[in-house]
Amino acid sequence: LFATMVGQFVFTFKSNFNNGVGLQMVENVPFCLELARIVIQEQGYGLPALSTLFFLFGLSSVVVGTVFYLLGKFEYGRVVYFFPSHVLVGCIGGIGAFIIATSVEVSTNTVFHFTLEGVEECFIRHMHLWLPVLAFEVVLRILLKGFGDKYPLLAPIYYCLITPVFYMCLGVTGIDMNTAAKAGYFFPPISTSGSVFNKDLLDIFTIINIGTISWKAVVKAIPTMVSLTAFSLIHVPINIPAFAISTNVEPDMNAELIAHGYSNAVSGIFGGLQNYMAYSNSVIYSKSNGKGKASSLGIVSVSAVIFVYGPTMASYVPRCMAGTLLLHVGIDLFIEGVVESYHDYDRLEYSGIWLITVVMITFGMDAALVAGIIAALSTYAVQSITYQYPIRGAMTATRLRSSAWNRSFEAQEILMDKMKGRQRIYVIQMQGHIFFGNVTTMTDEIKRKLKEKCNADDKPIVVILDFSRVLGIDSSAAQTIAKLK
């Protein structure tokens, strides 16, 4: 909530969008869990462990913010497109599977392992805790299938209704809240000394003690923080252009990167998590006619109220509500990363997606980072075997006359016209394999050639990209070419 609040406040004044919605990066939750496991292995439980953990949370956010800021400041926003898309999609699929496992842990208050004992512990002994989650998720999927396109607020409203529906079920079955809490259906209550305000809330800003930080844990956490930073970088290049298309706004990627740099750095300085401008929330907010600084600051105020009183209220929220939310997000990410990508990639790239996903859910984030590097290098090696400079040449259509058509006199007259004929048609020929390693060079060269033509007062009316000599295009290159304007 603190990261969400900070992100929304910064985006209100630093973003070019007047209707964006900031949100804590929920996709990074598995990385945060991995950081927590590293700290527990080194320090166990207690205040020293919390000091180290919040230091790692803050440090990772500051690192993410610094990278965002530097990319925007030096106008290197396009560097994020050098990440092979199939590696990023594999990470999305792995994160989805990770979040699904997390939903099981949250719902059953257990630690899930991909072993027979882990399955028995979570799904057999605690069946009464995850069955409600599964039931709520199935109903939500059915509703979204039938009415999701017509009612964009269906999912948020559904999540809000889970808690009252659960209480109604308790009332119908005659089970009181204390009995349900003992059975594990609720989160443990927080001691507040009879006050709605939790006096320990502000400890998150003071709990970091340099003297109790385990630097050994910090060093062990470096690979996880590198993975977290790399994964955080994929959201802005995806969310910002998509939201710009939805709202018909011309985005400035470098300015948005700088805004994300400020929001994450400020959050990290106070021990907060990473944040970003969420696409889906922003679209819903925009379609609800939300816009302007006053409305955006209203979101900040509501977030602040929930931040203050939310921890006390959490003990009255059933576990199945949080479990359903995590399960739904996890399934969506897994479908997006593994299922829907089946027809978008060749066999080599799709094998890399499965490799990253399986390694991530089996061995963790650090191993998945290594698997991603292996997948990227393997793709690079195979596709660069027949590497050639991607642009073979560029010329006007006067040098490429076609003899395949018997054109009318009127058509010939138009083509011979120096103001609107062949002279104003610019043909750029590509060759070899075009992939993530050379597509940026290709697009930059195309833009440079067109700029030269425009500066010479010879602006083309039509630009033709000739792919007849291209042997293959990978998904990253195809997506980059599709964005070329």
Side-chain angles (χ1 to χ4, degrees):
L1 283 171
F2 176 74
T4 298
M5 187 168 53
V6 171
Q8 186 65 36
F9 184 81
V10 173
F11 296 145
T12 300
F13 297 99
K14 299 299 293 183
S15 174
N16 291 337
F17 295 97
N18 66 349
N19 48 6
V21 176
L23 189 69
Q24 182 261 329
M25 286 190 191
V26 67
E27 295 89 350
N28 283 1
V29 168
F31 293 101
C32 297
L33 291 175
E34 186 66 22
L35 292 176
R37 292 190 179 103
I38 293 173
V39 173
I40 292 172
Q41 289 174 1
E42 293 297 324
Q43 291 183 289
Y45 300 89
L47 291 179
L50 285 175
S51 175
T52 303
L53 181 59
F54 275 84
F55 176 78
L56 289 174
F57 286 165
L59 178 61
S60 60
S61 296
V62 170
V63 170
V64 170
T66 302
V67 173
F68 273 136
Y69 178 81
L70 292 177
L71 288 176
K73 184 67 176 178
F74 294 102
E75 299 184 349
Y76 287 144
R78 66 186 181 87
V79 76
V80 294
Y81 295 112
F82 280 99
F83 291 104
S85 64
H86 70 284
V87 173
L88 301 180
V89 169
C91 290
I92 291 173
I95 289 293
F98 215 107
I99 293 178
I100 292 173
T102 302
S103 74
V104 175
E105 295 179 343
V106 170
S107 303
T108 60
N109 194 26
T110 59
V111 178
F112 179 72
H113 299 286
F114 289 93
T115 61
L116 185 61
E117 293 79 8
V119 172
E120 181 180 356
E121 174 70 16
C122 293
F123 294 101
I124 305 301
R125 298 176 186 173
H126 296 86
M127 183 183 296
H128 63 288
L129 295 177
W130 65 262
L131 276 180
V133 173
L134 183 62
F136 279 121
E137 172 64 11
V138 170
V139 173
L140 177 58
R141 291 285 170 182
I142 294 174
L143 291 175
L144 289 175
K145 185 71 173 179
F147 307 100
D149 294 336
K150 189 175 181 181
Y151 301 102
L153 294 176
L154 176 60
I157 293 174
Y158 184 86
Y159 293 131
C160 294
L161 290 176
I162 288 178
T163 298
V165 168
F166 184 81
Y167 275 101
M168 288 177 57
C169 293
L170 291 182
V172 171
T173 56
I175 301 175
D176 61 84
M177 186 172 175
N178 290 331
T179 303
K182 291 179 181 178
Y185 287 103
F186 290 93
F187 294 101
I190 299 176
S191 176
T192 58
S193 303
S195 172
V196 178
F197 175 74
N198 181 15
K199 62 182 179 62
D200 298 325
L201 177 67
L202 300 180
D203 286 351
I204 65 173
F205 304 118
T206 60
I207 199 168
I208 297 178
N209 184 343
I210 300 297
T212 61
I213 292 175
S214 171
W215 297 107
K216 183 178 179 181
V218 173
V219 172
K220 288 182 64 176
I222 289 176
T224 301
M225 287 193 289
V226 171
S227 303
L228 183 152
T229 303
F231 191 71
S232 299
L233 289 177
I234 73 174
H235 299 296
V236 177
I238 295 174
N239 291 352
I240 298 304
F243 185 50
I245 293 173
S246 300
T247 56
N248 196 27
V249 174
E250 185 66 28
D252 184 345
M253 181 62 73
N254 293 314
E256 298 303 326
L257 285 171
I258 291 175
H260 281 74
Y262 285 131
S263 65
N264 281 277
V266 172
S267 177
I269 288 173
F270 293 97
L273 300 174
Q274 304 79 44
N275 55 55
Y276 65 161
M277 186 179 293
Y279 170 72
S280 56
N281 297 45
S282 298
V283 169
I284 293 174
Y285 178 62
S286 175
K287 289 183 178 180
S288 303
N289 294 322
K291 59 182 178 180
K293 287 183 170 59
S295 179
S296 183
L297 292 175
I299 297 178
V300 176
S301 301
V302 173
S303 300
V305 172
I306 299 175
F307 173 74
V308 172
Y309 299 108
T312 304
M313 299 165 54
S315 60
Y316 297 96
V317 176
R319 287 181 178 272
C320 60
M321 192 274 228
T324 303
L325 176 60
L326 289 170
L327 181 61
H328 188 78
V329 172
I331 291 175
D332 277 349
L333 290 176
F334 184 81
I335 291 175
E336 177 185 349
V338 177
V339 179
E340 294 180 350
S341 62
Y342 177 74
H343 296 290
D344 298 334
Y345 299 92
D346 58 31
R347 292 181 179 179
L348 178 62
E349 292 175 326
Y350 192 68
S351 299
I353 291 174
W354 267 107
L355 172 66
I356 297 170
T357 301
V358 172
V359 169
M360 184 176 293
I361 62 178
T362 306
F363 301 104
M365 301 294 172
D366 298 342
L369 176 62
V370 176
I373 294 174
I374 293 174
L377 292 178
S378 300
T379 304
Y380 181 90
V382 172
Q383 294 178 338
S384 62
I385 290 175
T386 55
Y387 172 82
Q388 291 175 304
Y389 185 67
I391 296 181
R392 182 171 182 265
M395 63 209 74
T396 62
T398 55
R399 298 173 57 185
L400 296 170
R401 295 173 180 270
S402 173
S403 59
W405 302 96
N406 294 319
R407 292 186 173 90
S408 64
F409 174 77
E410 290 80 6
Q412 292 286 357
E413 188 176 21
I414 293 175
L415 289 174
M416 294 297 293
D417 192 318
K418 292 185 178 181
M419 297 302 297
K420 56 183 178 181
R422 292 187 178 96
Q423 187 68 33
R424 302 295 299 279
I425 299 175
Y426 196 51
V427 181
I428 302 175
Q429 293 180 325
M430 262 64 74
Q431 65 180 358
H433 279 280
I434 301 177
F435 61 109
F436 66 87
N438 64 7
V439 68
T440 303
T441 302
M442 185 197 77
T443 55
D444 287 348
E445 182 66 13
I446 291 174
K447 292 177 181 178
R448 187 189 66 79
K449 289 180 178 295
L450 293 178
K451 186 176 181 180
E452 288 180 353
K453 297 285 287 185
C454 293
N455 291 339
D457 199 23
D458 189 23
K459 183 178 181 180
I461 297 176
V462 177
V463 177
I464 298 175
L465 301 181
D466 183 1
F467 290 89
S468 59
R469 293 180 177 268
V470 172
L471 302 176
I473 302 178
D474 77 347
S475 54
S476 301
Q479 293 174 13
T480 303
I481 294 171
K483 297 174 184 175
L484 187 64
K485 293 184 179 179

